[in-house]
Amino acid sequence: MRGTKKRRGDGATIRSSAVMWAAGAAICVSYILSTLPTPLYPLYEQTFHFSQIVLTVIYAVYVVGTVTAMFFFGRLSDQVGRRVVVLISLGIAAAGALVFAFAQGTWWLFPARILSGLGIALVSGAATAWIVESEPDEDKAAATQIAIGANSLGLAIGSLMAGILAQYAPSPLRLSYLVFIVLLFPVGLVIWKTQETVHKPRSLGEASIAPRLAVPREMFGAFVPAAVAAFATFAVLGFYTALLPTLLEKALQNKNHATAGGIVGELFLVGTIAIAVTPRLRAHRGLLIALIALLPSLGFLVAAETARSISILLIGTAVAGIATALGYRCSLQKVNESAPEDKRSEIVSAYLIACYAGISLPVIGIGLLAKATGPAIADTIFAAFIGLLAVFAFIVEWKIGNSGTQNMK
C-alpha cells in the first residue's frame, strides 16, 4: 500500500505536498511561454517579412538557451538549492517575454527565443528534481507524472491562449506575452515562500558552473533508450509547435490563429489526460506503448497534409498527444528511477539536452529540405526518420526489458 511508504509525520507530509505543487505550478506557468509564439509565427512572417527557413531557425535557436542551461547550469540547483534557481528562471522567462512583446524586427525574435529556452530549461531541471524530492510518499513515478502533467498543461494553455487572443483581441503580437508576465508574479511569490529541499545549499558565489553532464556507466542501459525515445518524441512536438500553423495556412488553407492554437492545444490537452489516467503505468511498458503509438501519429500527419484534411489532422493529433505524453513521462521516469540522489539534477539535465535537441534540430532539417524538395516531401522524410528512431528505441527497450525479466528468473 502507498501509505506504508510514508516516512514523514502528517505536518511534514502537508508541507512536502505544498512544495511539490508549488514546483509543479512553476513548471506549468513557465512552459506557457514555450508555445505562446506558435500561433503567432504566420503573423511574424507577414509583419517582419522573413522566409520559412528563417522561421525554423528562429524556432530552433531555442536550443541555444536550453543546451546552455543544461550544459553549464544543469547541476546548479544541486548546489545552491531548487528555490533560488527556479526564481532566477522565472526572471529569465519574463525577460524573454518582454523581448517578444516589444520586438521591432526579425532579429529581436532570436534573443527572445534564447532567453525563453534558458529560463524554461532551468526551471525544468530544478523544479523536476524538487518535485521528486518532495513527493510525500517518496514515489518517483507519481512525482514524474506531476512534473510532466504540469509541463503538458502549460504547453496547452500557451497555444490556446495565444491563438484566441491573436484572433479575437487587439495587439496580437504583444498581449499574450503581457498576460504571461502577469501570471509569473503570483507563482514567483509562492516559490519565494516555499521550503528548500537541498541540505545546506551553497551561495551562488560558491557554486561551480563547470560543464559536467556525465551519465554513470551503470545507467547507460536505462539512459540510452530513454534519451532516443525522448529525441523522437520531442521532434514530433517540435513539428507541431513550429510548423503546424504554416501547414494549416499553406496546405489546408486555414488561416485562423485560434484553430492553430486549438490544434496544438489539443495535442497537449490529450497528453495531459493520458498522463492523468495512467498513474500506475510502469515506465518500461509505457515507453513501449508510446513508441508504438508514435508511428501511426506520424502517418496521420503525412496523410492529413496529402489529403488536405483537418479531420485526419485532428485524429492524428490525438494519437500524437498520447504518444508524446507517455513517451516523455515514461522516459523521464526511467531516468529519475535510475539516477543517484546526489546527481539527479545533473542526469535529468543530460536527458533534457536530448529532449531539446529533438524539439529544435529536426525543425531546421525540415526547413532546409522544404526549400529543396517542397514541404510535403520534407515532412514525409521527417516522418520516416523519426519513425526509424522510434523503432530503434523500441527494440533496445524491448531487449532490456526481456533481459531484466530473465535475470529475475
Side-chain angles (χ1 to χ4, degrees):
M1 295 176 63
R2 286 187 62 176
T4 61
K5 295 180 181 180
K6 291 186 179 180
R7 297 181 183 176
R8 304 176 173 102
D10 290 341
T13 297
I14 292 171
R15 287 192 297 272
S16 293
S17 296
V19 172
M20 181 179 67
W21 291 112
I27 291 176
C28 179
V29 172
S30 296
Y31 268 91
I32 289 174
L33 181 59
S34 183
T35 51
L36 275 184
T38 295
L40 307 179
Y41 284 133
L43 282 174
Y44 283 124
E45 284 187 87
Q46 296 165 17
T47 303
F48 298 146
H49 308 291
F50 53 76
S51 66
Q52 186 172 0
I53 290 182
V54 174
L55 168 62
T56 59
V57 175
I58 289 170
Y59 176 83
V61 77
Y62 181 84
V63 79
V64 175
T66 56
V67 172
T68 298
M70 297 298 97
F71 197 60
F72 291 100
F73 307 115
R75 60 194 181 99
L76 184 62
S77 75
D78 289 334
Q79 302 175 70
V80 304
R82 314 304 184 197
R83 178 172 52 195
V84 66
V85 173
V86 171
L87 287 171
I88 290 170
S89 73
L90 295 178
I92 295 171
L98 283 172
V99 178
F100 267 125
F102 296 101
Q104 300 298 311
T106 303
W107 290 105
W108 286 60
L109 303 181
F110 288 94
R113 284 291 289 171
I114 291 172
L115 286 169
S116 300
L118 182 59
I120 291 168
L122 275 176
V123 81
S124 293
T128 298
W130 210 359
I131 290 170
V132 171
E133 292 163 352
S134 305
E135 208 286 326
D137 294 341
E138 301 181 359
D139 187 336
K140 294 177 182 177
T144 302
Q145 184 181 21
I146 291 167
I148 303 302
N151 181 323
S152 295
L153 184 59
L155 292 167
I157 293 170
S159 60
L160 286 168
M161 182 173 76
I164 292 169
L165 292 178
Q167 188 66 35
Y168 303 112
S171 301
L173 296 182
R174 289 189 177 181
L175 185 58
S176 298
Y177 301 108
L178 298 179
V179 171
F180 168 75
I181 291 170
V182 170
L183 293 175
L184 288 176
F185 283 99
V187 174
L189 181 61
V190 169
I191 293 299
W192 179 266
K193 294 180 176 294
T194 297
Q195 180 183 357
E196 180 58 69
T197 55
V198 173
H199 184 59
K200 294 183 179 179
R202 306 177 192 175
S203 67
L204 279 171
E206 297 173 322
S208 169
I209 60 170
R212 195 180 79 186
L213 291 177
V215 177
R217 186 177 298 274
E218 62 271 18
M219 271 197 66
F220 280 7
F223 186 84
V224 171
V228 174
F231 183 95
T233 294
F234 273 73
V236 175
L237 296 178
F239 184 94
Y240 271 90
T241 53
L243 301 176
L244 183 86
T246 302
L247 184 149
L248 277 173
E249 183 175 320
K250 296 182 178 178
L252 279 65
Q253 304 300 310
N254 188 312
K255 298 183 179 182
N256 188 292
H257 305 301
T259 300
I263 292 175
V264 176
E266 177 201 354
L267 176 79
F268 294 113
L269 284 175
V270 169
T272 304
I273 293 169
I275 292 168
V277 300
T278 56
R280 291 296 153 204
L281 183 63
R282 290 176 53 244
H284 170 69
R285 179 176 295 179
L287 192 55
L288 294 178
I289 292 171
L291 291 167
I292 292 171
L294 204 60
L295 298 178
S297 76
L298 292 165
F300 279 121
L301 197 58
V302 173
E305 184 171 10
T306 303
R308 300 178 182 272
S309 169
I310 288 185
S311 297
I312 295 175
L313 181 60
L314 290 172
I315 296 170
T317 300
V319 178
I322 295 170
T324 53
L326 292 183
Y328 184 21
R329 172 201 154 189
C330 294
S331 59
L332 178 57
Q333 185 175 323
K334 282 178 66 70
V335 172
N336 270 331
E337 289 173 350
S338 305
E341 293 289 336
D342 61 340
K343 294 184 177 180
R344 178 173 290 117
S345 183
E346 178 182 344
I347 292 168
V348 167
S349 295
Y351 162 85
L352 289 172
I353 285 182
C355 296
Y356 295 128
I359 207 170
S360 301
L361 300 182
V363 169
I364 295 178
I366 293 172
L368 296 173
L369 278 172
K371 185 175 182 180
T373 65
I377 294 176
D379 294 346
T380 302
I381 293 172
F382 160 80
F385 173 69
I386 299 305
L388 287 174
L389 284 181
V391 170
F392 168 78
F394 179 90
I395 292 171
V396 175
E397 181 64 23
W398 177 271
K399 288 184 176 179
I400 289 172
N402 287 342
S403 174
T405 301
Q406 291 174 2
N407 289 338
M408 287 176 65
K409 293 178 180 179

